[in-house]
Amino acid sequence: GARRPKTPNTMPRGKRPKLFVFDLDDTIWRPEMYLLNGGAPFTKDKKTGRVRDRTGEEVTLYPAAREALHELATSKEWQGSLVCYASRCHETDWAHTCMDLLDVGDGLNVASCFNAGGVFQSGSKQGHFQVLASQHGVDFEDMIFFDNERWNITEVAKMGVTCVYTPNGLKKGQFEKGLQDHASRK
């Protein structure tokens, strides 16, 4: 199975995020969908698990993103937590296919880790969060957001969401640091 990141097991229940939100392109995987030369159809090698577009270009999960999604989906500590995505990706069919094909370990794919679905829409990510708050009844202060674009982080932070800037994808330690930052804000 996937390695489990070390999460703050002693974090009080009330200080934990209720809703985890991840951008997709260049936050949990690379390359960004619009940068793929080929696009659909995507194939998955049964032996290696590698996912490629029709020209053979590989779509890969960042290792720390794989670990974080696996942790959220399998750890008793996060049972009951909501996990979703917020993306401006225009190639939504491609993104859905990649979520179905990319594995996080223990028979789980990315799609199965997003137990609260997600939002694809253009414009400011503030709009994504308005939709998510409405859909799930979670206050902005009880959300945590991971994104690779600084302006998304700046805009969403104004709403009271704990934001984690992930330039060049989610890296080791950023998930845990985000949890610590969230706990210290309350």
Side-chain angles (χ1 to χ4, degrees):
R3 275 193 10 245
R4 291 184 56 193
K6 292 192 177 14
T7 52
N9 291 328
T10 57
M11 184 184 295
R13 198 48 141 167
K15 294 188 177 228
R16 297 170 187 224
K18 293 178 182 172
L19 180 65
F20 291 80
V21 185
F22 294 86
D23 175 47
L24 298 174
D25 286 345
D26 209 29
T27 297
I28 69 160
W29 65 46
R30 65 179 175 256
E32 297 191 39
M33 293 287 112
Y34 82 92
L35 293 174
L36 288 169
N37 292 319
F42 291 86
T43 57
K44 179 177 177 177
D45 184 293
K46 287 184 178 13
K47 288 182 183 170
T48 65
R50 291 187 168 167
V51 175
R52 299 183 186 278
D53 76 357
R54 66 183 167 94
T55 64
E57 189 169 2
E58 189 173 0
V59 178
T60 59
L61 286 176
Y62 287 100
R66 174 183 283 111
E67 290 176 7
L69 290 172
H70 184 270
E71 170 83 5
L72 290 168
T74 62
S75 173
K76 286 182 184 159
E77 181 176 359
W78 302 113
Q79 215 166 24
S81 297
L82 299 171
V83 184
C84 63
Y85 58 85
S87 176
R88 279 196 300 271
C89 176
H90 296 291
E91 303 293 349
T92 58
D93 289 343
W94 296 2
H96 280 294
T97 299
C98 288
M99 284 189 264
D100 288 338
L101 294 176
L102 290 164
D103 293 325
V104 298
D106 296 328
L108 298 171
N109 63 17
V110 171
S112 67
C113 295
F114 290 129
N115 63 13
V119 177
F120 284 117
Q121 68 183 36
S122 59
S124 170
K125 289 275 176 105
Q126 286 186 343
H128 294 70
F129 279 81
Q130 295 288 355
V131 170
L132 293 170
S134 174
Q135 281 178 346
H136 301 295
V138 176
D139 294 333
F140 297 127
E141 297 78 25
D142 292 322
M143 298 180 186
I144 188 168
F145 176 47
F146 301 85
D147 196 292
N148 67 307
E149 293 185 23
R150 173 62 76 191
W151 73 284
N152 290 334
I153 293 297
T154 302
E155 287 295 301
V156 173
K158 292 175 186 174
M159 303 172 82
V161 175
T162 301
C163 293
V164 182
Y165 180 48
T166 62
N168 308 309
L170 188 62
K171 301 288 188 225
K172 187 172 180 56
Q174 290 176 320
F175 179 71
E176 297 79 10
K177 174 83 166 70
L179 293 174
Q180 292 167 356
D181 290 350
H182 182 82
S184 68
R185 291 181 59 187
K186 296 249 177 180

